[in-house]
């Protein structure tokens, strides 16, 4: 009956899958939230993340920083809020 009782190997795989799912969810939300330089790059990354999640997640996390638009802060101080 040793096949039924969970061992340390099962815990390792469960934690590995949980860790990977965290990366996948982060990559998916980051992709949806950011703007990209090319007009279709966001769609391509989302398709890659959804249909090839294992490869797509690590490709996105390693390569997407070069294709994202840099965020810039341009405050408009001319607008005055009147109470």
């Amino acid at each position: 009956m040793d096949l039924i009782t969970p061992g340390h190997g099962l815990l390792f795989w469960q934690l590995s899958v949980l860790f990977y799912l965290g990366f996948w969810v982060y990559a998916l939300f980051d992709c949806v939230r950011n703007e990209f330089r090319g007009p279709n790059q966001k769609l391509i990354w989302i398709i890659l993340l959804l249909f090839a999640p294992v490869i797509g997640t690590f490709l996105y996390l390693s390569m997407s920083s070069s294709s994202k638009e840099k965020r810039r802060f341009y405050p408009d101080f001319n607008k005055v809020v009147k109470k």
Side-chain angles (χ1 to χ4, degrees), residues 67 78-79:
S67 63
N78 295 328
K79 292 183 181 178

mmCIF file of all heavy atoms in Angstrom, residues 67 78-79:
data_model
loop_
_atom_site.group_PDB
_atom_site.id
_atom_site.type_symbol
_atom_site.label_atom_id
_atom_site.label_comp_id
_atom_site.label_asym_id
_atom_site.label_seq_id
_atom_site.Cartn_x
_atom_site.Cartn_y
_atom_site.Cartn_z
ATOM 1 N N SER A 67 10.471 44.389 -25.906
ATOM 2 C CA SER A 67 9.411 44.768 -26.840
ATOM 3 C C SER A 67 8.336 45.640 -26.200
ATOM 4 O O SER A 67 7.438 46.098 -26.884
ATOM 5 C CB SER A 67 8.764 43.516 -27.434
ATOM 6 O OG SER A 67 8.151 42.766 -26.424
ATOM 7 N N ASN A 78 -1.239 71.947 -15.542
ATOM 8 C CA ASN A 78 -2.099 73.056 -15.951
ATOM 9 C C ASN A 78 -3.532 72.857 -15.494
ATOM 10 O O ASN A 78 -4.281 73.833 -15.405
ATOM 11 C CB ASN A 78 -2.054 73.225 -17.460
ATOM 12 C CG ASN A 78 -0.681 73.640 -17.939
ATOM 13 O OD1 ASN A 78 0.032 74.339 -17.231
ATOM 14 N ND2 ASN A 78 -0.297 73.176 -19.105
ATOM 15 N N LYS A 79 -3.928 71.632 -15.245
ATOM 16 C CA LYS A 79 -5.282 71.384 -14.762
ATOM 17 C C LYS A 79 -5.346 71.714 -13.278
ATOM 18 O O LYS A 79 -4.577 71.224 -12.475
ATOM 19 C CB LYS A 79 -5.669 69.921 -14.962
ATOM 20 C CG LYS A 79 -5.821 69.531 -16.406
ATOM 21 C CD LYS A 79 -6.263 68.096 -16.502
ATOM 22 C CE LYS A 79 -6.387 67.676 -17.950
ATOM 23 N NZ LYS A 79 -6.781 66.269 -18.066
#
